[in-house]
């Protein structure tokens, strides 16, 4: 089961560096991992609509300071890294399947975001977004590998001072990210097709 330390150790091993026992130890490896882990994780989470990082939430209205441009304003969730779609509230009917990223985009609403405020056109807005997922046990195995290599890219210069090692790590990171994204997309598509068939059979 993945942990932050185990992911950091994968990244260090990719560079041929000694592992760490904790992130609080007084070593150069731990210091560098503390510096780069969170930004690397969040950047990779933003790079694709990972199924395990998707979240749906009802939005809380706030004062609309752009009434001439948008009908309503809402507070952006504190754990929101990237907006996927804005829609009207669902009825609660299971057939509406609000959490499926593969759902038709015909019902998507126009929106704008400024700071921590989301502007849109409906009084009952629901947001589908990529959350800042901090629990590494929720990551897929291929995402863990991709994350470790992207972290290796950040660690390469402070740990090795070798641009070639950094370039090689970047190439592998891009490859692993692509494989992880393709696998995730295929799983999401298969789940969506199964669910649609199941609901159709019940009608």
């Amino acid at each position: 089961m993945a942990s932050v330390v185990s992911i950091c150790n994968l990244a260090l091993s990719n560079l041929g560096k000694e592992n760490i026992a904790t992130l609080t130890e007084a070593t150069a490896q731990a210091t560098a991992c503390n510096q780069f882990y969170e930004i690397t994780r969040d950047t990779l989470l933003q790079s694709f609509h990972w199924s395990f990082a998707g979240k749906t939430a009802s939005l809380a209205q706030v004062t609309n300071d752009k009434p001439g441009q948008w009908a309503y304003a809402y507070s952006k969730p504190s754990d929101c890294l990237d907006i996927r779609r804005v829609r009207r509230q669902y009825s609660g009917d299971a057939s509406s399947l609000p959490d499926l990223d593969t759902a038709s985009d015909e019902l998507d609403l126009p929106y704008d975001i400024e700071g921590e405020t989301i502007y849109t056109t409906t009084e009952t807005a629901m947001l589908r977004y990529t959350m800042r997922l901090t629990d590494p046990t929720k990551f897929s195995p291929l995402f863990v590998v991709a994350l470790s290599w992207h972290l290796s890219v950040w660690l390469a210069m402070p740990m090795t001072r070798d641009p070639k090692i950094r370039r090689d790590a970047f190439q592998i990171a891009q490859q692993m990210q692509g494989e992880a994204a393709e696998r995730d997309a295929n799983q999401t598509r298969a789940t969506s097709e199964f669910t649609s068939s199941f609901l159709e059979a019940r009608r």
Side-chain angles (χ1 to χ4, degrees):
M1 187 174 294
S3 67
V4 175
V5 170
S6 70
I7 294 171
C8 289
N9 282 335
L10 282 174
L12 290 166
S13 296
N14 293 340
L15 301 174
K17 296 300 178 180
E18 292 184 4
N19 286 185
I20 60 174
T22 69
L23 288 169
T24 57
E25 66 184 44
T27 62
Q29 296 96 310
T31 298
C33 287
N34 273 308
Q35 181 178 359
F36 297 119
Y37 175 79
E38 288 189 5
I39 184 63
T40 306
R41 177 202 64 206
D42 289 354
T43 301
L44 188 56
L45 284 171
Q46 284 184 307
S47 71
F48 182 74
H49 288 175
W50 307 100
S51 59
F52 55 81
K55 185 176 180 179
T56 303
S58 299
L59 294 177
Q61 276 197 46
V62 296
T63 301
N64 183 10
D65 58 353
K66 295 186 177 182
Q69 302 175 51
W70 296 96
Y72 300 93
Y74 297 89
S75 177
K76 186 179 78 171
S78 60
D79 63 346
C80 177
L81 278 177
D82 187 51
I83 293 177
R84 302 186 184 186
R85 59 193 357 160
V86 177
R87 289 188 168 182
R88 292 180 177 84
Q89 286 279 7
Y90 287 81
S91 65
D93 183 347
S95 64
S96 42
L97 295 172
D99 286 347
L100 286 182
D101 289 316
T102 53
S104 170
D105 60 2
E106 294 178 358
L107 299 178
D108 290 1
L109 297 173
Y111 68 88
D112 190 20
I113 182 168
E114 187 174 296
E116 299 304 307
T117 304
I118 298 171
Y119 301 90
T120 189
T121 56
T122 183
E123 187 177 7
T124 56
M126 184 173 64
L127 182 69
R128 179 67 175 168
Y129 65 97
T130 298
M131 63 176 165
R132 179 177 287 104
L133 183 59
T134 60
D135 182 357
T137 66
K138 304 298 184 184
F139 300 156
S140 70
L142 278 175
F143 182 90
V144 168
V145 175
L147 177 55
S148 76
W149 277 104
H150 276 284
L151 184 55
S152 296
V153 175
W154 283 96
L155 297 177
M157 291 308 290
M159 291 285 97
T160 72
R161 304 294 181 186
D162 189 334
K164 183 181 184 305
I165 291 178
R166 185 184 186 279
R167 286 195 299 270
D168 291 346
F170 179 77
Q171 290 180 353
I172 299 174
Q174 292 296 104
Q175 177 186 344
M176 295 312 304
Q177 179 180 344
E179 290 183 16
E182 181 178 6
R183 177 64 174 170
D184 190 83
N186 288 339
Q187 286 186 326
T188 301
R189 198 156 37 238
T191 300
S192 176
E193 290 172 356
F194 173 81
T195 305
S196 297
S197 299
F198 175 76
L199 289 171
E200 186 64 32
R202 294 188 62 181
R203 289 179 182 144

